[in-house]
Amino acid sequence: MNKKLVVSLSPHTYGKDSVTRIMYDVLIALVPAFLVSIYMFGFGALRVTLIAIFSSVLFEYLIQKFMLKVKPTINDGSAIITGLLLAFNVPSNLPWWMIIVGSFVAIGIAKMSFGGLGNNPFNPALVGRVFLFVSFPVAMTSWPVPIVTRFKLIDAVTSATPLSIVKEGLKNNIAASELASKLPSYADLFFGNLGGCIGEVSALALLLGGIYLIYRKVISWHIPVAMIGAVALFSGILWGLNPEKYMDPMFQILTGGVFLGAIFMATDMVTSPMTPKGMIIFGILIGLITVVIRVFGAYPEGVSFAILIMNAFVPLIDKFCKPQKYGVVKVKNG
Amino acid sequence: MSVYKNLKTFPVGGIHPEDHKLSAAKAIEFLKIPDIISIPVSQHLGAPAKPIVQINDRVKVGQVIAESGGYVSTNIHASASGIVSKIDNVMDASGYKRLAITIKVEGDDWFEGIELSPDIKKEIILSKEEIIAKLQKDGIVGLGGATFPIHVKLTPPKGKIADILLINGVECEPFLTSDHRLMIEKGEEILIGTQIIMQALGVSESLVGIESNKPDAIEHLSKLAKNYNGICIVPLKVQYPQGAEKQLIEALTSRQVPIGGLPIDVGVVVQNVGTAFAVYESIQKNKPLVERVVTVTGKNVQNPSNFLVRFGVPISNLIEAAGGLPNETGKIISGGPMMGKALNTPDVPVTKGTSGILLISEAESKRGEVLNCIRCAKCVGHCPLGLEPYLLMSLVEKGFYDQAQQEQILNCCECGSCAFTCPADRPLLDYIRLGKSIINQRLREKSPK
Ligand code: SF4
Ligand code: SF4
């Protein structure tokens, strides 16, 4: 034996899981929603998505290479996801430079300044979105009408989202039942024929992606089910109390970012709790905060804020919801 | 897939490494004894045995050549006949040089009174005390890998009583097949050995756990077990690390060993099938422990095999017999891929703890690049002991040993499930081991003794 043998500690075999595989699974899961968005918003959606992905990856590369002086890890796919999710969270007519600003905030501030993938406490795409929302409220809330706008790059034909119609209407004391007649049908809501952010319009497409992610064990059912369930439950309670003043739970879960948030944003492993118990608490609280913001807050939509708020509580939840340790409960005396 | 329904397993964590039982169909072959063998005097947990032979002494197979060095210790026997040529330190599988007795082999002469015929002897005549004393004398230790002297386990501390014996036929390590073959070829002997252990413990119930990927062994032993009172064969779901003591106990009895406790605290004693066979040979055939079955395997190994090997035979001989060392070998492992130990040379002797030799190709020997933890929680979800490996690693990295201890780092059984499953290729278990050894060191310094 003149060859050098490798001597390392066990285990000597490893599973097939890799960070890259996980990231690409998330990308695959986002494909149906992406296709629907192109069908609904056409070139505009494609334009926003490409700009967001390209600028996110570029910022990650530049920051890692020239500022942090580490080996760029853009191959792991996580920057692509951030770009794609950011695009999914804005309207399809957003000016290009705003998208780039959003990408910079997402990658540069929310991700890299905390130490890169795995170390960021807040979901980068959501930080980017909320930054844009607060900085450019008008551009972020003028929604192209789907299908009509399909063949135009940037379109002026805009409409309110169902959520903002409701918010305005209720503010002006129009009864919820009357508002319902002005809104798209639940079928339209489910398939995505409504104004809104690029990626959040089709609950069905998002659901398909979610099922794929659960099948591939990238996410577990706990957060999406807890969060969507909580939105339904809490809005259902209010609706039950006064159906003229509050919208029904079906409307609440099918509009806005509930599905996108529940399946792709709140489940971001880096910024969510580690144990099933923790995930359920996390999901329920996001659902609760979402309803509170929508119903009582100033904004028609509350998913992004709710997720970011709960991101901050993850360390606490993880401390509180530890896995049951073997051999601790059943200690016998003697 | 499996013909068995509702298979039992332990409730939390665990993984499914790819199964590669390449040598499962290979009957156990006797491996030729080389001209020179070196028998380490420390082949068990506890104090090394003390040599009682001198250079140029002539010894026979089965003769005691080193005597038990304390209560947690056993005798070591000559595993070949010939002349003692050296009593000196040699490299063993631990990577250190340790005392061994070298014998120049001549013939195969067995010590008087050892019965070598394959006739099966069912009737147990020895009493409980006699059995335990005889097992210590014959150097019987746990052959599942821990090599804990059996007489200690069979003598529960005051106030503790065993009510059930578990026999471990799980063999959950991928690649290894030595226990599997033994169950098929020596089923009757294993069951008699089990009865002997039951008698020594004074228990009337025994469960033999076997994973469902060995249907032939399950069927064979189930058929035989009908003739043995109180022995029940239980097929188990395939789930690593089911062969670990705590997981097996939970799978078969739903009892949990308290932290810092032993199986006996919940009334359980666990022995491996290989040990049960060795017990049979000692008690019924007067044959001390001088050999064991060792699997030699690997994806590139020409002829994966199960050998009956005398202790002291160099591992390189086994590799030779299985078709030689493949060119692209990067790692030689004593044991299985999950918990085995990488050797830095194949020129070390087989001992009581050697369950298999696994050759891994160079490409598969290299670990992936370590990335940041992405908090995917896979390590947490797969830990069978409910620990949080990512947290333990970071506590050890930062030197927060007290906190790591609070998080029960010492309860880690080193099964490797966490490191196996981590997508960021983080060396979780390396750090956990480091933390454990530092904490144990501190505890030793603190203790009054
Ligand atoms: S922490 Fe220990 S017991 Fe848990 S999976 Fe890792 S090696 Fe196994
Ligand atoms: S498996 Fe690896 S990446 Fe996932 S939480 Fe554990 S240490 Fe982090």
Side-chain angles (χ1 to χ4, degrees), chain B residues 28-256:
Chain B
I28 300 167
E29 291 168 63
F30 180 74
L31 190 81
K32 196 176 150 280
I33 310 167
D35 297 340
I36 294 220
I37 61 174
S38 290
I39 307 163
V41 296
S42 178
Q43 301 188 34
H44 45 261
L45 276 188
K50 298 193 185 79
I52 54 164
V53 287
Q54 251 125 55
I55 292 184
N56 289 331
D57 279 3
R58 184 169 287 276
V59 295
K60 292 184 175 177
V61 188
Q63 180 179 340
V64 178
I65 52 173
E67 264 176 358
S68 165
Y71 178 57
V72 185
S73 182
T74 71
N75 290 345
I76 297 286
H77 305 77
S79 44
S81 55
I83 309 235
V84 175
S85 64
K86 228 170 34 180
I87 302 177
D88 200 359
N89 290 336
V90 300
M91 175 89 86
D92 71 6
S94 67
Y96 294 102
K97 290 201 161 188
R98 294 205 280 203
L99 195 63
I101 297 169
T102 301
I103 295 174
K104 215 165 131 261
V105 180
E106 287 173 1
D108 195 25
D109 266 351
W110 285 71
F111 200 66
E112 297 74 38
I114 298 173
E115 205 191 306
L116 294 172
S117 79
D119 309 340
I120 286 174
K121 260 167 100 174
K122 283 198 175 173
E123 199 197 348
I124 305 163
I125 42 175
L126 296 187
S127 73
K128 181 180 163 133
E129 289 73 23
E130 287 168 326
I131 291 171
I132 295 176
K134 172 87 173 123
L135 293 176
Q136 177 172 21
K137 208 178 125 265
D138 280 350
I140 313 297
V141 300
L143 294 180
T147 64
F148 195 74
I150 188 170
H151 64 272
V152 184
K153 268 203 195 175
L154 297 187
T155 319
K158 262 216 173 73
K160 309 234 156 117
I161 5 168
D163 62 1
I164 189 164
L165 169 69
L166 303 185
I167 299 291
N168 188 346
V170 170
E171 200 160 57
C172 59
E173 274 273 12
F175 288 98
L176 300 191
T177 58
S178 53
D179 287 349
H180 185 180
R181 285 315 305 179
L182 204 61
M183 287 189 277
I184 288 173
E185 296 179 35
K186 303 286 177 193
E188 197 86 49
E189 289 89 334
I190 289 172
L191 294 183
I192 300 168
T194 304
Q195 279 207 316
I196 298 169
I197 305 172
M198 286 164 74
Q199 189 165 324
L201 279 171
V203 303
S204 54
E205 193 189 352
S206 170
L207 302 175
V208 184
I210 308 173
E211 282 191 344
S212 62
N213 59 358
K214 304 171 202 44
D216 47 353
I218 295 173
E219 199 182 313
H220 181 58
L221 286 190
S222 300
K223 226 179 267 161
L224 294 175
K226 292 199 181 102
N227 306 321
Y228 292 84
N229 267 340
I231 303 183
C232 186
I233 313 297
V234 187
L236 297 169
K237 200 175 151 193
V238 179
Q239 179 90 334
Y240 178 87
Q242 193 140 234
E245 216 165 51
K246 287 176 180 170
Q247 274 60 54
L248 185 67
I249 293 172
E250 208 175 3
L252 289 173
T253 68
S254 303
R255 301 179 194 174
Q256 274 195 4

Side-chain angles (χ1 to χ4, degrees), chain B residues 241 379 382-389 392 409 411-419 428-429 432:
Chain B
C379 57
H382 289 291
C383 176
L385 298 177
L387 304 175
E388 294 165 277
L392 295 176
I409 192 172
N411 209 26
C412 165
C413 68
E414 309 195 5
C415 70
S417 301
C418 50
L428 296 160
L429 184 50
I432 291 172

Side-chain angles (χ1 to χ4, degrees), chain B residues 378-397:
Chain B
K378 286 183 197 286
C379 57
V380 180
H382 289 291
C383 176
L385 298 177
L387 304 175
E388 294 165 277
Y390 80 97
L391 180 66
L392 295 176
M393 173 170 171
S394 86
L395 291 174
V396 173
E397 259 181 317

Side-chain angles (χ1 to χ4, degrees), chain B residues 238-281:
Chain B
V238 179
Q239 179 90 334
Y240 178 87
Q242 193 140 234
E245 216 165 51
K246 287 176 180 170
Q247 274 60 54
L248 185 67
I249 293 172
E250 208 175 3
L252 289 173
T253 68
S254 303
R255 301 179 194 174
Q256 274 195 4
V257 181
I259 279 186
L262 293 169
I264 191 71
D265 294 329
V266 290
V268 179
V269 169
V270 184
Q271 292 294 342
N272 157 279
V273 285
T275 319
F277 177 66
V279 166
Y280 166 84
E281 291 208 306

